[in-house]
Amino acid sequence: MYIKLIGSHHRGWLVGNTDWLVHVVSLICASVLAFLLVIYSYILWMEYSSRRREKVKTALMHELLAEGSFLQRYLNEGEIGVDLLNMSGDQQIVLQQLLLQRLAQGPAEHEILRIRLLSWQVFGSSYRLVLKTGKWSERVNTLLYIEQFHMIELLPRLEDMLRVISCTPLERFIILRICARTGYFRIVKELMREQYVWSDSQYLQILLLLTDSSWTRLKDHFKDVPYQVIDPPERFGPAAIS
């Protein structure tokens, strides 16, 4: 009897509130549909923006590569125009890509110097900001750009990074490689620091980039450097470090 009463009570509740349930379910379905439409519209907009951005970058690249462009005039004549100095955003990304491609082609020495000067004047401040506030991947990529552009102006900033606990082993390795490549006078002292424990191949990569003056100072501190610094040259022979 009790079960029958309960059952009849629930059936009566459902019958009296059917319209309300249908209304709630309809609202939920409409909300979900609207949310999915918003997500889909956002994806379409991002794809459209990405394609449009790539078209703009491609057009800018062709413009900079064209004969007589302000970039070509600078590389040929050495006069930096305001058009180059005022680049920002995607313009800097395209310019950076073109300059790196030009360096990879092995240009003449005077053109290399012009590329390094231009890269410092255009990218220097943004690189400095990324090294200070950027994510790890952004910092690593920026360090690689600094190495390729030979930005000696940022060497003091890179040395400060080595003193920060958050500086990762990969960042430290790239920074030491930059210091070795540029002949930075603190490279020998950094190699003597005991907390840096690299593999033989990593030490060799750094040693192969040392300038003659750095090698001379390294020999003066022969007894104080880690064994890996001395071991790779002996293992690979004089030809490996010549």
Side-chain angles (χ1 to χ4, degrees):
M1 177 65 70
Y2 180 75
I3 295 176
K4 290 182 179 180
L5 288 175
I6 294 297
S8 62
H9 172 74
H10 279 284
R11 285 196 298 271
W13 184 88
L14 289 173
V15 171
N17 294 276
T18 299
D19 293 340
W20 182 81
L21 286 175
V22 171
H23 182 67
V24 171
V25 172
S26 299
L27 285 177
I28 294 175
C29 293
S31 300
V32 172
L33 180 61
F35 177 74
L36 293 176
L37 287 175
V38 170
I39 294 297
Y40 182 68
S41 301
Y42 176 76
I43 294 175
L44 289 179
W45 171 253
M46 291 299 295
E47 290 180 353
Y48 168 77
S49 299
S50 178
R51 289 194 299 267
R52 184 174 180 276
R53 184 181 179 187
E54 288 302 319
K55 288 182 180 179
V56 172
K57 290 167 65 176
T58 300
L60 179 59
M61 182 175 296
H62 290 310
E63 179 183 337
L64 292 176
L65 288 174
E67 190 67 29
S69 68
F70 46 82
L71 174 60
Q72 300 303 321
R73 290 200 303 270
Y74 167 72
L75 294 177
N76 294 331
E77 303 171 7
E79 295 184 6
I80 303 180
V82 292
D83 293 324
L84 287 173
L85 296 178
N86 292 335
M87 282 188 166
S88 60
D90 288 341
Q91 293 177 322
Q92 284 194 6
I93 294 177
V94 173
L95 178 62
Q96 176 180 262
Q97 181 179 351
L98 291 178
L99 294 180
L100 290 174
Q101 290 176 355
R102 196 75 172 232
L103 285 176
Q105 295 171 359
E109 183 64 26
H110 72 277
E111 186 172 324
I112 294 177
L113 295 176
R114 288 173 182 174
I115 290 175
R116 290 174 176 172
L117 174 62
L118 179 62
S119 65
W120 164 245
Q121 296 199 14
V122 177
F123 312 130
S125 59
S126 59
Y127 285 178
R128 189 187 300 273
L129 180 62
V130 172
L131 293 178
K132 183 178 181 180
T133 62
K135 299 178 181 178
W136 178 82
S137 58
E138 296 174 339
R139 296 198 308 269
V140 169
N141 287 334
T142 299
L143 287 173
L144 294 175
Y145 296 146
I146 292 173
E147 181 178 18
Q148 294 178 79
F149 285 130
H150 208 78
M151 286 190 178
I152 58 176
E153 297 87 354
L154 286 176
L155 287 174
R157 174 69 186 93
L158 300 182
E159 185 180 357
D160 291 339
M161 285 184 63
L162 293 175
R163 307 290 175 262
V164 179
I165 299 178
S166 59
C167 187
T168 64
L170 179 57
E171 290 175 293
R172 292 179 182 275
F173 173 64
I174 299 175
I175 292 174
L176 288 183
R177 202 168 59 189
I178 295 172
C179 293
R181 185 187 298 275
T182 57
Y184 191 48
F185 71 99
R186 298 297 295 269
I187 180 61
V188 174
K189 178 176 288 188
E190 296 301 333
L191 288 175
M192 290 164 50
R193 291 180 179 274
E194 295 182 0
Q195 65 264 36
Y196 297 149
V197 181
W198 310 113
S199 66
D200 287 350
S201 61
Q202 288 177 312
Y203 268 113
L204 183 61
Q205 288 184 53
I206 297 173
L207 293 174
L208 290 175
L209 298 173
L210 288 178
T211 60
D212 292 339
S213 59
S214 296
W215 268 113
T216 300
R217 285 185 283 110
L218 188 64
K219 292 176 182 178
D220 294 337
H221 299 84
F222 180 85
K223 296 180 180 180
D224 300 322
V225 296
Y227 77 92
Q228 292 98 330
V229 175
I230 305 303
D231 187 48
E234 294 179 350
R235 178 179 304 174
F236 293 96
I241 59 175
S242 60

